[in-house]
Amino acid sequence: MPNPLQYNKRFDELNEEEKKLLDINKKTIADFVEQSSSISDVNYATRNAHAKTYAVAKGTFCIQPDIPEFLKPFLDKEKFDLTIRFSNAQLTIQNSKKDIPAYGFAVQIRDENGGLLANYPLVNFPLFPVNSVSTFLKLFTAVNKFYIKKWSNLFTLFVQATKMIPSLLTGDMIRNIIKFIGKRNDFILSFDYYSIGAYRLGDHIIKIKLHPKSVDRHTGIKENVKDSLTHYLQAHDFTADVMIQICYNLKDQPINKLNVEWKNSPFITIGEVRIHKGSLLDSRSCTNELLSFNPFESKIFFQPVGKIQKLREEAYRVSVQTRRKINKLLQGKGG
């Protein structure tokens, strides 16, 4: 195999126009979160993405004994403690029986002393429909304004959404959309989960995939997602392979082109995520609702890479700060 590409901070750098659009977007994120309790009709401020929590559980990341030598300085224990949040990707909390099957599997990894090592928010679709930072920021800003102001911002939202169309027309994107449609009714734990964007592993750059083992896709088919997931984790152990791809060159493994799959970089299995039955936590508790899975709180050598990823750093920070401020105020009123 060729030598892996080394991380360089230029992969993350935004231009001046993108920085200005990001400042505008941050304001709409704060406005959205401040009004999110009324938008979703709940008694707390929600996240501005993946607002709906299905379950929170304790788990373990068990490392393969024969991992490649370069991984061993970073995965230097036999196992690590995990906190895992299962969610829906929508910005608002809907109480409908049938959710859009856009799921999150967010993983928080801690060391033996409880110190945070890494956060990895994974989702059940491997690609992202926008490559342009400017297009993404304008679209995300329009979405936030639509939820706050409703119909007065509908035309702007429509215009920005149409700019996504060219990015949706890659062969990889079309193939994965067709595959996703075929799995739309499948059980939440039967999906593969992906990092979408790239992450550092020391000076190397990787993508992550979680592949469940022996989960029946038809599990809980007559139940809603939350109930089927809860009942499964109360009665069964869950195991998934943790796999990574390594970036060797930007042509085959582009960092800032998220609507295509990485080529010529085979998946390497580095361990397993295990959730033992009965490991569910109270997802409604204030402590678990305030959990942050911000990947930029990770140790520096596990942090995200890329321009779209860089946007998430500011979005997470604004969202978490606003959400915690509002929820502390609401908690005080409740007391």
Side-chain angles (χ1 to χ4, degrees), residues 113-265:
N113 299 315
L116 177 65
L117 291 175
N119 287 320
Y120 294 112
L122 311 177
V123 296
N124 65 330
F125 193 79
L127 305 175
F128 193 71
V130 183
N131 289 325
S132 164
V133 170
S134 297
T135 298
F136 173 72
L137 286 170
K138 290 175 183 176
L139 175 63
F140 195 19
T141 297
V143 169
N144 286 332
K145 287 183 176 178
F146 172 74
Y147 277 107
I148 295 166
K149 299 180 180 179
K150 292 298 181 184
W151 301 110
S152 64
N153 208 56
L154 182 59
F155 180 73
T156 303
L157 176 59
F158 174 77
V159 170
Q160 296 305 325
T162 60
K163 295 179 181 179
M164 289 174 46
I165 293 173
S167 295
L168 293 170
L169 298 179
T170 68
D172 287 345
M173 182 66 77
I174 292 169
R175 185 176 64 256
N176 278 284
I177 289 173
I178 292 170
K179 180 182 175 182
F180 183 80
I181 291 170
K183 286 179 61 65
R184 66 190 182 279
N185 295 319
D186 288 2
F187 179 47
I188 184 173
L189 289 181
S190 69
F191 285 89
D192 291 339
Y193 286 85
Y194 307 87
S195 61
I196 301 184
Y199 284 79
R200 290 183 62 179
L201 189 58
D203 287 329
H204 301 311
I205 301 167
I206 64 167
K207 281 192 175 184
I208 303 166
K209 176 181 175 180
L210 211 65
H211 179 65
K213 291 184 174 181
S214 305
V215 178
D216 183 356
R217 58 185 288 213
H218 301 298
T219 298
I221 200 148
K222 294 183 180 179
E223 298 178 286
N224 64 36
V225 176
K226 184 180 179 69
D227 289 345
S228 65
L229 176 61
T230 300
H231 293 154
Y232 185 91
L233 292 176
Q234 286 172 339
H236 301 87
D237 295 336
F238 170 78
T239 305
D241 285 328
V242 179
M243 311 165 81
I244 63 169
Q245 284 179 292
I246 300 169
C247 180
Y248 298 101
N249 66 78
L250 294 179
K251 180 183 177 204
D252 289 338
Q253 300 96 35
I255 292 169
N256 283 311
K257 193 174 181 184
L258 302 183
N259 63 341
V260 296
E261 296 176 337
W262 279 9
K263 309 291 193 298
N264 301 318
S265 178

Side-chain angles (χ1 to χ4, degrees), residues 67-77 80 201-202 301-302:
I67 59 172
E69 201 64 34
F70 77 90
L71 294 176
K72 292 181 179 177
F74 308 103
L75 305 173
D76 57 351
K77 302 286 188 296
F80 297 87
L201 189 58
F301 41 79
F302 293 134

Side-chain angles (χ1 to χ4, degrees), residues 77-96:
K77 302 286 188 296
E78 290 184 3
K79 59 184 181 180
F80 297 87
D81 293 332
L82 304 179
T83 302
I84 301 164
R85 177 180 182 258
F86 302 96
S87 62
N88 188 279
Q90 288 182 271
L91 276 70
T92 60
I93 296 175
Q94 307 288 338
N95 291 317
S96 57

Side-chain angles (χ1 to χ4, degrees), residues 121 293-296 311-321:
F293 291 87
N294 179 356
F296 289 93
L311 305 182
R312 295 171 70 187
E313 178 177 18
E314 298 295 330
Y316 271 108
R317 183 180 295 120
V318 172
S319 177
V320 168
Q321 288 175 349

